[in-house]
Amino acid sequence: MKFKLFINPNSQEIVEATVHRKSNFSTQLEQFVLSNGNSNEIPAYDDKDLIMLNLENIIMFTIIENKVFAICNNKQYHIRKRLYQIEDTLSTNFWRINKSTIINRSYIDQFKETKTSGVNVIMTNGLSDYVSRRCFSKIRKELN
């Protein structure tokens, strides 16, 4: 493998890689290059295609069948990171509401009490999920 770096302040930045076949390393390199410099986007997969999702458009991150998904307008995109890794990169506009879900507080419609003294959050697109007591106490402190 060869590596070349050309520094020219007057030139547009281009990252070009020539590989024999797509591998885990080339996919990680692609994600790094696409996300670097724009921390408001996250790499996601729509079927097999890699796309960059704007964080403002994401309603929630949730775990479905042991995989992390970003939900935007009732469409699911697979995220190839763990939830805690995503949480570390998110702004304060996102709240962890339980072990398997992070929500965008811009899309909260209401909090609703359940019959068992729990709390559910209902999002503007109609999705709802339970809020753990530990997480709800943190959210309540932040709201007050």
Side-chain angles (χ1 to χ4, degrees):
M1 182 184 298
K2 294 181 183 179
F3 178 78
K4 294 180 184 179
L5 177 65
F6 301 103
I7 300 175
N8 183 351
N10 300 324
S11 179
Q12 179 184 3
E13 289 185 356
I14 299 173
V15 177
E16 185 176 305
T18 306
V19 295
H20 296 286
R21 61 182 163 74
K22 194 161 182 96
S23 66
N24 191 26
F25 173 74
S26 63
T27 302
Q28 289 176 347
L29 179 63
E30 181 182 21
Q31 289 176 357
F32 173 76
V33 170
L34 290 174
S35 66
N36 196 24
N38 192 352
S39 60
N40 201 29
E41 292 184 337
I42 188 167
Y45 291 86
D46 181 17
D47 295 325
K48 300 264 182 198
D49 300 327
L50 176 68
I51 60 170
M52 297 303 293
L53 288 179
N54 191 331
L55 291 176
E56 294 172 2
N57 298 331
I58 297 174
I59 296 171
M60 71 172 56
F61 293 97
T62 190
I63 297 174
I64 302 170
E65 296 177 3
N66 296 323
K67 294 180 182 178
V68 177
F69 288 91
I71 298 177
C72 305
N73 298 325
N74 295 328
K75 186 157 182 174
Q76 298 176 357
Y77 299 95
H78 182 235
I79 308 290
R80 291 187 180 171
K81 288 185 178 183
R82 297 279 185 206
L83 212 53
Y84 72 89
Q85 294 171 321
I86 296 169
E87 186 177 22
D88 291 340
T89 63
L90 295 174
S91 67
T92 57
N93 204 35
F94 287 85
W95 281 334
R96 182 84 175 238
I97 60 166
N98 57 45
K99 283 186 175 184
S100 62
T101 306
I102 300 172
I103 60 169
N104 187 339
R105 57 194 279 189
S106 302
Y107 291 96
I108 294 174
D109 188 28
Q110 64 179 327
F111 289 102
K112 193 169 191 175
E113 192 173 336
T114 63
K115 294 178 183 176
T116 59
S117 299
V119 176
N120 283 346
V121 63
I122 300 173
M123 308 303 285
T124 55
N125 68 344
L127 291 176
S128 68
D129 203 347
Y130 75 96
V131 182
S132 72
R133 291 180 183 177
R134 181 174 48 95
C135 293
F136 190 65
S137 67
K138 290 179 184 177
I139 291 171
R140 195 172 352 165
K141 286 178 186 175
E142 194 172 322
L143 291 173
N144 291 335

